[in-house]
Amino acid sequence: MKMNIRQITAKDWPAIMAIQQNCYHDIAPESLASMQSKWLVSPDSCMVYEHQGQIMAYVLTHPWQKGDAPKLNSVFTSIENSCSLYIHDMAVSPCAQGLGVAKKLVNHVVQISTTLGFSGIGLIAIQGASEFWQRFGFQPVNNMSKQLSTSLASYSDDACYMYLPADKAV
């Protein structure tokens, strides 16, 4: 299968929102305004996976501080002074699961993070995804700040903040 990972464009949003709706069952889907704000503050690091003209997956990333995470459904207008990249959301359409699409997207994000000089990548794993992320070297961070604990409360009960330092990226 020919891989086509490319930057998100305005015409991709109906497909992105449909994939989000199909993939998340433990949290309410985020609004279009929230999702698009991540793309608008960091368009070079937000991607879709396209196959034969159809969007099969997406990843939304943006700069953020290590050890912290935004609350769900936050809308950004700018992000400043951030040394890490944050994977806000990555979802693969059910029809593309098991094809290695997620692995390709994660590897692409790691490459972007390295190219842009970030010190690492943070994320919040939900719906039992922490084992998936550990396969790429992400580790749970247990010593959380009060601010991170507050942000985690906006996610599902199994939400887990994870981090991958740049020097540990595979």
Side-chain angles (χ1 to χ4, degrees):
M1 174 167 42
K2 184 180 183 295
M3 174 180 71
N4 185 16
I5 295 175
R6 62 169 176 76
Q7 289 181 350
I8 291 174
T9 66
K11 68 179 178 55
D12 298 328
W13 286 101
I16 290 169
M17 297 306 287
I19 292 169
Q20 178 195 212
Q21 182 73 38
N22 287 329
C23 290
Y24 292 107
H25 49 81
D26 288 354
I27 59 170
E30 290 187 276
S31 70
L32 178 62
S34 172
M35 298 279 280
Q36 285 182 329
S37 75
K38 281 64 173 178
W39 167 60
L40 293 171
V41 297
S42 190
D44 294 341
S45 67
C46 294
M47 305 290 156
V48 292
Y49 175 91
E50 185 177 38
H51 179 66
Q52 296 179 340
Q54 184 176 0
I55 305 298
M56 308 296 276
Y58 67 87
V59 61
L60 301 176
T61 69
H62 55 79
W64 204 255
Q65 287 301 317
K66 176 183 178 181
D68 192 17
K71 289 182 181 179
L72 277 180
N73 229 13
S74 297
V75 175
F76 304 140
T77 54
S78 67
I79 298 173
E80 297 176 15
N81 302 323
S82 298
C83 58
S84 292
L85 194 62
Y86 181 78
I87 299 175
H88 179 79
D89 189 11
M90 185 177 85
V92 178
S93 172
C95 65
Q97 291 177 1
L99 301 176
V101 173
K103 180 179 180 179
K104 291 172 185 174
L105 281 173
V106 173
N107 290 336
H108 195 78
V109 168
V110 168
Q111 180 183 357
I112 288 170
S113 177
T114 302
T115 300
L116 296 176
F118 287 106
S119 61
I121 306 169
L123 60 86
I124 292 184
I126 61 169
Q127 296 184 180
S130 58
E131 287 182 27
F132 168 82
W133 292 107
Q134 286 177 339
R135 285 184 255 160
F136 295 95
F138 287 84
Q139 292 299 312
V141 175
N142 296 322
N143 54 343
M144 290 184 280
S145 67
K146 185 176 181 179
Q147 185 173 340
L148 178 57
S149 295
T150 302
S151 293
L152 280 176
S154 71
Y155 290 81
S156 58
D157 289 342
D158 72 337
C160 174
Y161 179 79
M162 304 182 81
Y163 195 76
L164 174 67
D167 62 349
K168 304 282 188 211
V170 238

